[in-house]
Amino acid sequence: MVIGPHPLVLLFINTLTYYICNLDPLWHTWSVPREGPYKIKLTATERQELEHRAVKYTLPYFQVLRAKMVLHAAEGLSNDEIARCLD
């Protein structure tokens, strides 16, 4: 009787971790782009709705975050700057 993960699962996880850690110089080439490929232009109504959602405490948290992300992107912030604003 085996209790816990199967030994093959542990072997796979360890092997995968080993290869990912050893590919560190290449890992950065697969990362998320620092700037979005699209420019966001919001109408006054869209901006007003997003600003309303960004401060609403009764909405699900992901909707509040998404509204903040879109507002920051519309201001021209890079992905890294948006991430720092949301921390």
Side-chain angles (χ1 to χ4, degrees):
M1 183 165 139
V2 176
I3 297 176
H6 193 276
L8 288 177
V9 172
L10 294 176
L11 176 66
F12 173 75
I13 291 171
N14 288 338
T15 305
L16 183 64
T17 304
Y18 172 79
Y19 284 116
I20 287 175
C21 289
N22 286 331
L23 289 176
D24 192 47
L26 296 175
W27 184 254
H28 298 291
T29 61
W30 301 334
S31 63
V32 176
R34 298 294 159 226
E35 291 191 17
Y38 305 104
K39 301 295 178 197
I40 297 175
K41 293 183 182 181
L42 300 173
T43 65
T45 307
E46 291 170 334
R47 180 174 296 280
Q48 184 180 15
E49 177 63 27
L50 288 170
E51 288 171 349
H52 177 71
R53 290 182 186 195
V55 296
K56 196 162 185 172
Y57 292 104
T58 57
L59 283 177
Y61 187 64
F62 80 93
Q63 289 183 9
V64 173
L65 277 182
R66 183 167 294 170
K68 289 178 180 181
M69 284 182 224
V70 173
L71 286 169
H72 289 311
E75 292 172 6
L77 273 63
S78 70
N79 291 346
D80 288 335
E81 292 169 325
I82 294 171
R84 277 192 294 276
C85 289
L86 299 176
D87 283 342

